[in-house]
Amino acid sequence: MATSDGAHASSREQQTRRGQAREADPAPPAPKQLWKDSFGRASIRALQILLIAGAVALLGYLVVALKLVTLPLLLALIIASAMHPIIRMLHRAHFNRIWAAITALLGIILVLVAVISSVVMTVIYEWSDLAVQTQQGINKLITILSDWGVPLDETHLQEYLNKGSQYLQTSGAGTSAVEGVSMVTELVAGALLMIVMLFFFLLDGPRMWRFILGFVPERLTSRINDAGLASVHVLGKYIRGTVIIAAFAAVVDLIAMLVMRVPLAFPLAAMIFLSAFIPIVGALVSGICAALIALVAAGPMAAVVLVAVVVVVNQVEHHILQPKVMGSALSLHGIVIIAALAVGANQGGVAGALLAVPLSAVIWASYKAFRSTRLASSTESELAQEQAEYDDEAGSEEAPARS
């Protein structure tokens, strides 16, 4: 009996020790607890960023892959946004929806045909002469710098210049007949598709937007509507302002080139007008080409004067014209504009460079409008809550006074 009692006592002591050991060892954390500490929250944010980046990359890939549809769609949206004030003016003049859309569309087509025939075709017809004159200007500039003692590796420079000149003079000319026909077919199909889309945007743009808002949760309808209105406003002001600034730069530079008897003044002015739609980089490239041609035709003094005119025009654009005609439509830092241009040109060529900046401005304006509406709504709710709390406190203080 004593032996059995001792055995039971020792077994109870062993069980007690095991229980104490189990209590001393911490239990493993539950899976949900792993996401609540600082590392878990950082992992969730990193996963969200990766998902957003993947969605943006997929959207960009689809836009580039389906450029025959997306490019006319974007161009139609941009032009329709620029024409929004004219559509409203026609409605105030008692035009119905259909006739207002038809009138605006015919006006846009006439303007585009005039610009393409007078500006774009001028640059295309004189492109080889522009390339030759620019090449001669670069060679003369290298000679002048070498005479001044500036160390230049003329062998490598000449090799690069020859390649660049050959590319400029034969750009697009070396394609086969089949590729040329395919390119023309794509351009015609894209132009027709853009005209059809533009007509429907002008006709039923507000109805389309209300249809899209119908799929948005009710609590987000007001904020997304404000973001959409901000996008239309920014796009319209950007296009109208860019046209005014481009025309101003082309006219002033044309007058300066005619006064200094620079050859190919009209093609250069047309190129300056077109390059103004690519901010920062376009004005720089067109100004350099004009100065190089002036260097060959009229000497170093004319080139220096033309560079000074281009710089003054650029400063007037940025500090006087742009704030007046664009306002906050292009409230982007220069580094953002250059990065957007680089990405757009890399992914979409010339069309990507033309669309990169306005799309970036639209995204930024939409985000600001969405965020400001959210802050305004949260501020209103906080003020309402504070007012309700104040009313409750005032009521509780008045109750004992009445009693």
Side-chain angles (χ1 to χ4, degrees), residues 78-214:
I78 292 173
I79 297 174
S81 300
M83 295 296 293
H84 184 63
I86 296 177
I87 291 292
R88 287 190 301 177
M89 182 184 68
L90 292 174
H91 288 164
R92 287 196 297 267
H94 305 293
F95 280 70
N96 59 25
R97 284 190 314 114
I98 298 177
W99 281 110
I102 292 175
T103 304
L105 181 64
L106 291 177
I108 293 167
I109 293 175
L110 291 176
V111 170
L112 290 178
V113 169
V115 170
I116 291 173
S117 60
S118 62
V119 178
V120 179
M121 299 309 295
T122 301
V123 175
I124 292 175
Y125 288 149
E126 302 291 346
W127 183 255
S128 58
D129 292 336
L130 287 171
V132 172
Q133 294 281 346
T134 304
Q135 172 71 24
Q136 293 176 359
I138 294 174
N139 292 332
K140 189 169 184 177
L141 179 62
I142 292 173
T143 303
I144 293 173
L145 293 177
S146 300
D147 294 339
W148 288 351
V150 178
L152 296 173
D153 190 351
E154 296 186 8
T155 303
H156 288 86
L157 279 175
Q158 195 62 39
E159 181 182 353
Y160 295 146
L161 291 175
N162 290 335
K163 290 182 179 178
S165 176
Q166 183 180 3
Y167 173 76
L168 288 175
Q169 295 181 39
T170 61
S171 59
T175 57
S176 64
V178 176
E179 291 176 349
V181 171
S182 176
M183 185 181 300
V184 171
T185 303
E186 288 184 1
L187 288 175
V188 172
L192 293 176
L193 186 60
M194 187 202 73
I195 291 173
V196 173
M197 290 180 175
L198 178 58
F199 173 74
F200 284 109
F201 285 146
L202 295 174
L203 179 66
D204 288 328
R207 292 185 179 183
M208 293 179 184
W209 180 241
R210 288 194 294 270
F211 176 76
I212 294 173
L213 288 178

Side-chain angles (χ1 to χ4, degrees), residues 276-305:
F277 288 87
I278 304 177
I280 301 176
V281 178
L284 177 63
V285 173
S286 60
I288 290 174
C289 292
L292 290 173
I293 294 176
L295 177 64
V296 174
M301 185 56 66
V304 172
V305 172

